Amino acid sequence: MQSSKKNPVTKYKIFLDANVWFSAAMSPQGGSFLICRLAEAGLIQAFANNHVLEEAERNLLLKALKKLNDYYRLIKTAAPKISTISPNPVLVKKLDGLLPAKDMPVLAGALDAEADFLVSLDKKHILQPKLKNLDWPFQILSTKEFFKIFRKGFKKL
């Protein structure tokens, strides 16, 4: 697992799951929105892939149409780099029984982005200890866990 001990002036590379983008569009008070603001300020580099962006958009269309423009603004201002790789058969086999196929592109995107962190709000699938404790080159975190690490880095300045 990759160490989270980075120089605070070095940008963390954060792959954001669809639920983080969705939550950020829904509320400017939450941690998801704050992560997008960090990306906008250039303090982190946000990453996504078409799978997570389309899922967030689809969920907003179905559940909160009035927030769609907020979502598009977030994508524009946070300016995520877009990962394009699909899950490979080795990853699919590694995760067989641990993760539904629909979530495989999330892990593939974080791998492709060479992310430091994969941030998700999916407690049912992504944030499960069995998945988090596998040997990943990134850490799988909730927004709250990410902010603990981020704040520690800036307290050392």
Side-chain angles (χ1 to χ4, degrees):
M1 183 176 292
Q2 189 169 344
S3 171
S4 61
K5 296 179 182 178
K6 256 194 172 179
N7 179 339
V9 296
T10 303
K11 289 184 194 178
Y12 285 125
K13 292 165 47 175
I14 317 296
F15 189 90
L16 301 176
D17 196 356
N19 46 48
V20 176
W21 292 108
F22 177 89
S23 295
M26 292 296 291
S27 172
Q29 271 73 47
S32 298
F33 184 81
L34 291 176
I35 289 175
C36 291
R37 295 288 295 182
L38 290 175
E40 180 183 349
L43 296 172
I44 65 169
Q45 175 60 64
F47 284 82
N49 60 18
N50 288 332
H51 172 82
V52 300
L53 296 177
E54 288 169 5
E55 181 180 339
E57 182 181 48
R58 182 175 55 255
N59 286 331
L60 286 163
L61 284 165
L62 293 171
K63 300 174 185 177
L65 186 58
K66 291 181 180 182
K67 294 292 186 174
L68 201 56
N69 283 335
D70 293 334
Y71 170 72
Y72 294 140
R73 264 192 301 281
L74 276 172
I75 297 301
K76 185 176 180 180
T77 59
K81 289 189 177 180
I82 306 299
S83 165
T84 58
I85 198 164
S86 297
N88 67 39
V90 174
L91 178 65
V92 172
K93 185 173 181 167
K94 178 180 181 176
L95 299 176
D96 185 40
L98 288 176
L99 190 67
K102 71 174 188 67
D103 289 325
M104 297 274 183
V106 177
L107 277 289
L111 286 167
D112 183 49
E114 297 179 353
D116 298 304
F117 305 106
L118 162 56
V119 177
S120 179
L121 300 173
D122 183 350
K123 293 178 184 175
K124 185 175 180 182
H125 299 118
I126 304 287
L127 295 174
Q128 286 299 311
K130 286 181 182 180
L131 187 65
K132 289 176 72 168
N133 294 331
L134 290 176
D135 187 29
W136 299 108
F138 51 82
Q139 291 183 48
I140 300 174
L141 304 171
S142 66
T143 54
K144 184 176 181 179
E145 292 168 328
F146 168 73
F147 277 109
K148 284 181 184 177
I149 291 170
F150 186 79
R151 286 183 187 112
K152 281 181 187 178
F154 277 93
K155 285 181 181 178
K156 293 178 183 179
L157 281 178

